[in-house]
Amino acid sequence: MSATVVLVDDHAMFRSGVRAELGQRVDVIGEAGSVAEAIAVVTEKRPDVVLLDVHMPEGGGLAVLEALGPALPDTRFLALSVSDAAEDVIAIIRAGARGYVTKTISADELADAVARVADGDVVFSPRLAGFVLDAFQDSPVAPAVDPEIDQLTPREREVLRLLARGYAYKEIASQLFISIKTVETHASNVLRKLQLSNRHQLTRWAVDRRML
Amino acid sequence: MSATVVLVDDHAMFRSGVRAELGQRVDVIGEAGSVAEAIAVVTEKRPDVVLLDVHMPEGGGLAVLEALGPALPDTRFLALSVSDAAEDVIAIIRAGARGYVTKTISADELADAVARVADGDVVFSPRLAGFVLDAFQDSPVAPAVDPEIDQLTPREREVLRLLARGYAYKEIASQLFISIKTVETHASNVLRKLQLSNRHQLTRWAVDRRML
DNA sequence: CAGCGCATCAGGCACTCCCCCGAGGCGCGG
DNA sequence: CCGCGCCTCGGGGGAGTGCCTGATGCGCTG
């Protein structure tokens, strides 16, 4: 039960090498040497994993991902590239790839990476994952700190967080090791300070601020 | 030249176990059993890596990260948790942790994870990384239309929409020109069909599906 | 020390939520 | 016509919510 794979790379020699090395461990059911060919082959073959070169003519792996990604939710894309540049990694991941490895990888490691991606995991070459996390942390579109939230005490902020997530007073009390009555007090203070009248509005408030 | 580590976990027995298992492979230079203690110990010891429990009183690992993260750019935080919930993973990573592993991990794997984080890598338990990527991408890989929603009648869908937006039964009744009792019936049917137990979960359900 | 903010907890009360039961009307297809 | 799904309501009740008053202790500051 090895995973089915389609190789996409504009260098035939490289595809041949990958096929030779990986043939024992995964089931290579198709190859493509261009963006257009990749779209056709992947659409037809429906592999578990597409091993996708990033740098190719006509838009490269990014073009393939944008054309196919949304249409094939059950197909995972693993980017395979000579580049270890942060912008390449981020662009590919943002487009929906489930991993990014560089071509310095060994055959064993690549076979393992393909298997893991087929299995639902996410795979990165060491250090590359850090690029994504950095971009992820910078990404909050609206940092936009409300003046109201500054009026909250640390404990109130904690209760707010749990309230917004839908926990009942009783559950919050258990998690924070305090009584229900204390939770009620904090909750009441939070609602008053944020000028809200009930916890449903509070949930929407938190959603708007991407706290969930 | 093993990495220096501070353990933060509110269970002394667990810390002891980690220390015993990891002692040979990393240099455990401090421990903390609470958020306040963690802030003090980490600030003093300046370890390479902080092994951080997510669920603790007083805000847990998140509180530690928010207090210390910005101040200690050279210290890496590796979250260690019993939870494999997406919200926990995303919150911790957004707060600046460089990895997240569950407590089901073996001692060898944990030692390896610590070493890799100390070395600048990012480490995740299998599958957890996917949560971060999903949150990172605007378009979730799994649009995954639920079969449950097809079971809802048109009227139930209408009530669901208003419920998720935080309207009270009374308000929904006014908007739809029906009695509160009818709203209750629809709401009850919706919760049953979606296998949810209250409207807070329903709000989160709707948020997850971009219905708001 | 006296005041103040914060966190903790209590009793009580009106209200909402959610479920249990039951019921009638309406339209559609066998 | 009869069953069935859908929508419409009602009583009753247990659990949860939100607010009120009032209380204690703790640490910080003037």
Side-chain angles (χ1 to χ4, degrees), chain A residues 128-207:
Chain A
L128 297 192
F131 298 154
V132 179
L133 291 202
D134 289 341
F136 178 64
Q137 287 163 30
D138 292 341
S139 69
V141 184
V145 185
D146 302 79
E148 288 103 342
I149 204 168
D150 293 335
Q151 301 174 3
L152 299 182
T153 67
R155 202 54 161 171
E156 284 165 357
R157 265 181 264 255
E158 187 68 19
V159 173
L160 159 61
R161 193 179 129 265
L162 296 172
L163 274 175
R165 288 173 180 233
Y167 291 106
Y169 287 169
K170 188 188 296 182
E171 295 171 321
I172 297 174
S174 296
Q175 286 198 30
L176 300 182
F177 299 104
I178 57 181
S179 85
I180 293 178
K181 278 298 180 180
T182 306
V183 176
E184 289 180 17
T185 301
H186 290 313
S188 185
N189 290 335
V190 168
L191 291 178
R192 182 176 39 77
K193 288 182 179 178
L194 299 183
Q195 299 179 326
L196 303 173
S197 60
N198 60 48
R199 58 178 303 160
H200 316 315
Q201 293 179 14
L202 192 148
T203 299
R204 299 212 58 201
W205 184 93
V207 169

Side-chain angles (χ1 to χ4, degrees), chain B residues 118-172:
Chain B
D119 203 31
D121 284 358
V122 169
V123 177
F124 283 96
S125 289
R127 306 185 192 275
L128 297 192
F131 298 153
V132 180
L133 292 201
D134 288 342
F136 178 63
Q137 296 161 18
D138 287 341
S139 59
V141 177
V145 183
D146 302 79
E148 288 102 341
I149 203 168
D150 293 334
Q151 301 174 2
L152 299 183
T153 68
R155 203 55 161 173
E156 284 166 358
R157 267 181 257 256
E158 187 69 18
V159 172
L160 160 61
R161 193 179 128 265
L162 296 172
L163 274 175
R165 289 172 183 240
Y167 291 104
Y169 287 169
K170 189 188 294 183
E171 295 170 321
I172 297 174

